[in-house]
Amino acid sequence: MATKKKTDQDLQLDKDQLKASIVRHLRSTLGTSEQKASPEAWWKATAAAVNEQVYERLTRTQQTHFKKDTRAIHYLSAEFLMGRLSSNNLHNLSLYKICEEALGELGLELTDLCEQEPDMALGNGGLGRLAACFIDSLATLNYPAVGYGIHYEHGLFRQEIQDGRQIERPDSWREYGNPWEICRPESVQEIPLYGYVETVFGDKGGLKKVWHAGRKIKGVPWDIPVVGFGGHTVNILRLWESRASEFFDWDVFNAGGYIDSQAEKAQAETISKVLYPNDETDAGKELRLIQQYFFCACSIKDILRRYKRVHGADFSNFAAQIAIQLNDTHPTVAIPELMRVLVDEEGLNWDTAWGICYQVFSYTNHTLLPEALEKWSVSLFEKVLPRHLEIIYEINARFLNELVEPKWPGNDAIKAKLSIIEEGDVRKVRMGNLCVIGSSKVNGVAEIHSKLVKEDLFPEYAELWPEKMCNVTNGVTPRRWLLACNPELAGLYNEVVGKEWPLQLDKLRSVVKFADDKAFQQQFMSIKRHNKEKLVKVIKAETGIDVSAEAIFDVQIKRLHEYKRQQLNLIHIMALYRRLLANPDYDMHPRVFIFGSKAAPGYKLAKDIIYAINKLAERVNNDARIQGKLKVVFMPNYRVSLAEKLIPAADVSEQISTAGYEASGTGNMKMALNGAITIGTLDGANIEIAEEAGAENCAIFGLNVDEVKSLKARGYNPYDFYYANSELKAVLDWFDTDYFTPGRPGELSSIKRSLLEGGDPYLTLADFESYSEAHKLIDAWYRDPALWAKKAIINSATMGKFNSDRSIQDYVDRIWKLTSCSVG
Ligand code: PLP
């Protein structure tokens, strides 16, 4: 008997049904009772009840996509910084309020239960969080999409602060199980590694390459359902976990080698064990290359399996059905892997296979920092992926002969620059070059960044393929970053502009007309005040520091890197402190500087900056002379769930990177959307934020991209600024004393050294004065409550452009050419 297809209406639960389902799952899934259950058990029971909805919709989505045989995007990313899923899934299924009421009747608070969920921190920062926002938007816009990544056992390390220093602790996000993931043993893949390549005679005559792998690794897929807003489409994020190909090597075992067989298993499992904690830079380690190959090869196999289920071995539709996006260079090896599979395993000729690859792949560049452009030594490549190295040589030879030589005849310098292989003592494979050569589109992530990708990073490629280079400005999902994290402001917007804004963020623009309205200003600012009061409690609980919600909350939350310039913020706070010590009546509105930031464990200077912030905080926060006008807070273990508490409470958003270094930034968008005023350089998406909000509503300071370039070209000397500004000099000299580290002078000197003897590569001193002036402006604005409220409202109301739905629609229009597919 045919079952009747359930509509969205049929699926929607009411409060009593949800409550019954939670209690049922508490007993039958968690094996406990209402009397005994821990908050964690209640959270898992709630997730299980929600999953009944999720799975039903997931199945409907998959059946629809299969039936319609739709073109789909496959988003390959080594990182997905998902955070927590409970509140997001409830909001996207329109169940949040109902669940709150259902749990309320059971004597429970939904927000407390949500706190039980560990963050899924499978990413370092912006790049991984972008991938998470993008898969949310893809599902919301009903685009067929699969996210592919790595099921790290340990995500980004947990940061503890001990005596001011960062200590890294392992993150065990699924130690006690994760209710949002489903293991799919039926889709396990096996992938080869190491070994050698043999040339043999093929069945159809001619020569053929055979890769004899030295090892095989099993990839076990874990699926995380991705619920679109409204709950119509539920796509998946498929994360691969590595396992030994055979659980036991029975021969070794029978020969008495139990320990050896276990060692092999442990080695295989190492591949997906830990996320590399380097944001922006790369270690170039064998394990990292294997991680990259592992998830790419599993994903390519998975994509082919799904394609062949419908089309068999006829690849003529492959490029029409499949789009693959490479999120940075981490998944580049997917290009030679697809070539290998098509040529060696499926028997396609080179040109046909290359034609397919070229159409299928697109690449997003995330950084211009030279240390972040991945390169692998040829010898490592040869050892781990011998067949891929051959394929890369072939791609390179054809590219240089067929495209570069005709365009720049006899020009060896250009050939050397554009080659995938870097010559030198250690020959290297340049993954960025391979990406550009093997992709039909290359995009940067903000207007200015895309321009620099085209003009400075890849100018010759842009000359060869002008149509290949494009821009897609990043975005953030307004569901997580406003609706869920700032419910009061979301409620106000619902009243004023209606409930469509989470899908059409541009609708908020109509709020601009209330920017001068006293009653609206008062409502808006009292919501900010309430969010600040909530944060005051979190700060007290996490750090023991007392702060007042009366003060300006000035927030810098992002990875610690010299180019992001937390050191600029630090020296400016020290300058304020000096001003207050010199003149206790120094006229400023009380300010709380709040930091949240992890440093890569091997990045010594970054860790020293964290230490300096904490030592400064100890001194400033306990100095009665300054009458509480200045407070410094370092919030340990910055992560998505903490960002969700900090962002709604921020008055000032610090976006102070050296111009030309921050590709886009996304924290900048989130804070402005929640009514913070940006103090920032003309870098990345700050430029577009200032365009949308109006430059007069941001505190822009510092050198712009061209000025940075020309100062560097002229020869930047930080000592010029050190000697020219007595306050700056005094602040830098302070680092050499024991003022902040009593009895231990010199503990903070590395920061001064980096800014003077180290040459100050990120021009911190050059921008100090203008930064300090911008802060005076912020102070003056804040003392005029109506002016501040107006600017804050305008910032929040004009961030429509930075909806990640808009970014995804740009990808669809400019790159992926997908058709949206309604489900249900
Ligand atoms: N880390 C987390 C947890 C985030 O939520 C974000 C973005 O909001 C980032 C890092 C990236 O921040 P930024 O764009 O300021 O570098």
Side-chain angles (χ1 to χ4, degrees), residues 54 58 188 244 299 313 322 447 455 527 563 574 703 782 806:
V54 173
L58 173 64
V188 162
S299 307
I322 309 290
E447 290 290 349
E455 293 175 1
I527 289 169
Y563 86 80
M574 288 163 74
L703 302 171
Y782 198 84
R806 189 273 313 147

Side-chain angles (χ1 to χ4, degrees), residues 3 54 114 126 183 209 227 232 283 285 487 574 583 614 716 812:
T3 48
V54 173
C114 289
C183 190
K209 299 284 190 167
V227 183
H232 306 296
K285 296 280 189 331
M574 288 163 74
N583 172 14
N614 279 308
Y716 169 60
V812 166

